[in-house]
Amino acid sequence: MSPLQMSVYWRLSLVFFFTSFLFFLDIFTAAIVAATCHLGNNTGVSVRRGALEGNQSLPGQDEADWMTESGIGDSVCGWTDWLSYGQTLYMVGLLLGSLFGGAISDRYGKRPVLLVCVCLHAVCGLVPAILPQPHLFLAIRCLTGVCCCCINICSFSLVVEWTLPASRLWPPAILPFCFSLGTMGGAPLAWLSSTWRQLHLSLALPQLICLPLYLSIPESPRWLLLKRRTDALDSYRSNSPADKHCLDLLLDSAWSDLQKATEAQEEPPPGGHAPSDIMHLRHPTVLLRLFIMSYLSAASALTYFGICMNIGSFGVGVYSAQFFSGLSEAPCLLIPLVRLGRRPLSMLALFLSGAACFLSLLLSRYNAKPELVMSLALLGKLCILAATFISILYSIELFPTVVRQRCVSLVNLCFRLGCLVNSLVPPNPNGAISLAAMVVYSSGPIVGCSLCLLLPETSGVPLPDSVEDCDRQPRPRPPSMRALWRTRKLVSSQTRKTEIPPAEKDDTHSGLIAAV
């Protein structure tokens, strides 16, 4: 591994570590407000309880009467009702960032967009500590979501384009692993913060301190090749012999992919004229796969973010629950080592996720221990995260080249819409996750598991270039233990003998960016 590759990997891992701090900020702000905001007449009524009972301000009292526990006036306690909209606006920001983040990074470069968004992300964490105003806070949350989405797009693009094709399964697993480490690290920082200002300072100052480290992140070699920035490529080559060798391999792979893509576009179709993209999208095979993958993305978003954003509703302390929530995602780092095939592994992960959420719901109705209920819910979250990771590659391999990017973008849009819908679900008055929400979290993955029966196995199979190639793929059959064992042996043997096909490299990279 060359020094430039190491520079990219550990710096982007640090970026993902800090991104999780503000991702779950709404959970910590709700806990801080509930613990510190009380009525000035020492009645002991908390803000959250008053809001739930519909009597936030008692007769004869105005916003100035709301005091912190220490007796010092806190302006945040006067607009606690606004805090519930922070999560929704953050998800809106994620949706907006997914719409134009990729286009901006393709035009101006991944590195400049990443640096700007990282700086804005850190500043967004600092502003509420200095100016705690409701409208400004909500605008900052939306801007933070936009920056977070653009950071994801640029980071995945950079780390994949600085990775050789044979190892490109690892970056999508390493970066989320660092995000889970950040989730674990943000929980004790929030626990040590006793006020609104301390919370935002503790989560923003580490990001501001590390900003100079990101200036050494190099630009994408593929983007420099497309823009003919040979001077920057020469400067990267001159760093060390290892960098020169690595960069030559990456550029050879990128140049080969670009030539093949150009030849495929210039090749005349057999019928004399090329059908439009709309005609390809109307094909029954493409429509069926697009519907299934869109449903899987929306159901995965509902289950994952539904558990993440309600982690304090299982009867366990919010800070310890948040720590174990991040810890539960760590095993996803081992997913690239599993050689079971796309479809069997997706079905297994979806079924286990739905079953774990259903058991969590069942035990909660029989007053089981909160720790056991939360553990089952976190198991379901781990499995749905694994299914989401697999669906990123599965979506790329299911759609033909002529409409692949559009289909993957639509699937990604459904994922963001699922995140947004989840933030609009009203909370349960008793503080727990509602029965209807848990039914959705458990039934959605199980239905998705059954829909996967209609999809073919794509592991170790060349990417389809046309709709005809999709029709020629093996038709799905009901799985059996013998078929699962045969698929596992086939994938293992092909993995030992071959690497990723050249035609798959560029599309895998582009699909990963779109699916973030």
Side-chain angles (χ1 to χ4, degrees):
M1 186 178 296
S2 69
L4 273 178
Q5 285 181 308
M6 286 295 298
S7 174
V8 172
Y9 292 156
W10 77 263
R11 284 178 169 84
L12 292 182
S13 298
L14 190 62
V15 170
F16 260 66
F17 180 86
F18 288 131
T19 302
S20 64
F21 282 13
L22 300 187
F23 193 96
F24 299 107
L25 178 65
D26 299 293
I27 298 175
F28 300 138
T29 54
I32 289 289
V33 167
T36 60
C37 292
H38 294 268
L39 284 174
N41 57 3
N42 295 325
T43 57
V45 182
S46 65
V47 168
R48 174 175 291 180
R49 181 178 175 184
L52 292 177
E53 294 176 354
N55 57 349
Q56 170 128 353
S57 58
L58 297 180
Q61 293 177 326
D62 55 13
E63 293 182 356
D65 292 329
W66 290 89
M67 309 288 287
T68 58
E69 199 170 48
S70 59
I72 303 174
D74 191 343
S75 60
V76 178
C77 295
W79 47 273
T80 53
D81 285 342
W82 294 79
L83 295 177
S84 60
Y85 299 102
Q87 179 183 340
T88 302
L89 286 174
Y90 185 86
M91 295 301 174
V92 171
L94 290 176
L95 178 61
L96 294 176
S98 64
L99 295 178
F100 60 81
I104 293 178
S105 63
D106 288 339
R107 180 172 182 178
Y108 298 103
K110 278 76 176 176
R111 181 178 179 272
V113 176
L114 175 65
L115 294 179
V116 171
C117 290
V118 167
C119 294
L120 286 177
H121 191 269
V123 173
C124 287
L126 185 63
V127 170
I130 303 173
L131 299 172
Q133 301 297 327
H135 296 89
L136 180 61
F137 174 74
L138 296 182
I140 286 296
R141 289 302 291 162
C142 184
L143 180 59
T144 306
V146 174
C147 293
C148 179
C149 187
C150 293
I151 288 173
N152 289 348
I153 291 174
C154 297
S155 298
F156 272 101
S157 175
L158 281 173
V159 75
V160 169
E161 292 182 355
W162 274 101
T163 305
L164 294 175
S167 305
R168 283 181 179 169
L169 284 175
W170 284 101
I174 293 176
L175 293 184
F177 173 74
C178 297
F179 185 88
S180 64
L181 293 180
T183 304
M184 298 166 58
L189 287 178
W191 178 70
L192 294 173
S193 305
S194 58
T195 64
W196 172 276
R197 181 170 288 106
Q198 291 180 6
L199 172 65
H200 286 84
L201 289 177
S202 64
L203 298 181
L205 288 180
Q207 302 183 57
L208 293 172
I209 294 173
C210 293
L211 285 180
L213 298 175
Y214 307 140
L215 297 176
S216 301
I217 296 177
E219 182 56 271
S220 161
R222 184 184 294 264
W223 186 85
L224 293 174
L225 180 64
L226 288 173
K227 300 299 181 179
R228 304 186 185 278
R229 304 282 182 86
T230 56
D231 53 342
L233 293 173
D234 293 338
S235 65
Y236 293 159
R237 283 195 182 96
S238 61
N239 287 339
S240 67
D243 287 333
K244 182 179 183 302
H245 178 69
C246 174
L247 199 59
D248 289 339
L249 293 177
L250 292 172
L251 292 177
D252 289 342
S253 173
W255 184 252
S256 175
D257 294 343
L258 292 174
Q259 284 183 330
K260 291 183 178 181
T262 304
E263 293 173 359
Q265 291 177 357
E266 295 177 353
E267 183 179 356
H273 63 280
S276 63
D277 292 345
I278 300 299
M279 296 300 296
H280 288 296
L281 288 173
R282 290 179 179 177
H283 194 275
T285 302
V286 176
L287 285 177
L288 176 63
R289 297 181 180 183
L290 182 60
F291 168 76
I292 295 175
M293 298 310 298
S294 299
Y295 174 82
L296 292 180
S297 295
S300 300
L302 284 172
T303 302
Y304 177 79
F305 288 102
I307 296 175
C308 282
M309 297 304 176
N310 295 281
I311 194 63
S313 303
F314 293 100
V316 183
V318 62
Y319 301 109
S320 58
Q322 185 68 10
F323 177 84
F324 286 107
S325 176
L327 182 63
S328 67
E329 299 180 5
C332 279
L333 184 64
L334 305 177
I335 290 179
L337 300 177
V338 180
R339 306 294 183 181
L340 192 60
R342 305 284 188 262
R343 191 178 68 159
L345 193 56
S346 297
M347 295 177 61
L348 179 63
L350 290 168
F351 178 79
L352 289 178
S353 175
C357 291
F358 179 76
L359 287 176
S360 175
L361 171 64
L362 190 63
L363 292 178
S364 66
R365 296 301 160 184
Y366 286 94
N367 298 322
K369 291 185 177 181
E371 292 81 4
L372 178 60
V373 175
M374 188 188 73
S375 299
L376 288 173
L378 293 182
L379 176 61
K381 184 170 76 80
L382 168 64
C383 294
I384 204 65
L385 183 62
T388 303
F389 170 77
I390 301 166
S391 67
I392 293 176
L393 297 178
Y394 210 178
S395 298
I396 299 167
E397 298 167 346
L398 283 173
F399 299 112
T401 304
V402 289
V403 291
R404 179 174 296 121
Q405 195 60 39
R406 295 192 179 187
C407 291
V408 172
S409 299
L410 290 174
V411 172
N412 177 45
L413 180 62
C414 292
F415 184 85
R416 294 303 178 192
L417 290 176
C419 300
L420 183 59
V421 170
N422 183 77
S423 65
L424 298 176
V425 177
N428 199 342
N430 59 11
I433 301 180
S434 64
L435 176 63
M438 284 302 296
V439 169
V440 172
Y441 300 157
S442 57
S443 62
I446 293 179
V447 174
C449 174
S450 61
L451 290 177
C452 285
L453 293 172
L454 304 176
L455 298 176
E457 174 58 50
T458 59
S459 180
V461 179
L463 292 177
D465 293 323
S466 63
V467 177
E468 289 75 15
D469 293 338
C470 294
D471 290 333
R472 284 193 291 267
Q473 288 179 336
R475 294 187 177 275
R477 298 177 180 177
S480 61
M481 293 303 298
R482 180 179 298 180
L484 293 178
W485 177 251
R486 189 185 302 116
T487 302
R488 182 177 181 180
K489 292 180 63 179
L490 176 63
V491 174
S492 300
S493 61
Q494 289 179 348
T495 305
R496 296 192 196 99
K497 297 180 181 179
T498 62
E499 295 181 349
I500 297 178
E504 186 176 356
K505 301 172 187 174
D506 184 61
D507 294 313
T508 302
H509 153 252
S510 61
L512 285 170
I513 299 173
V516 175

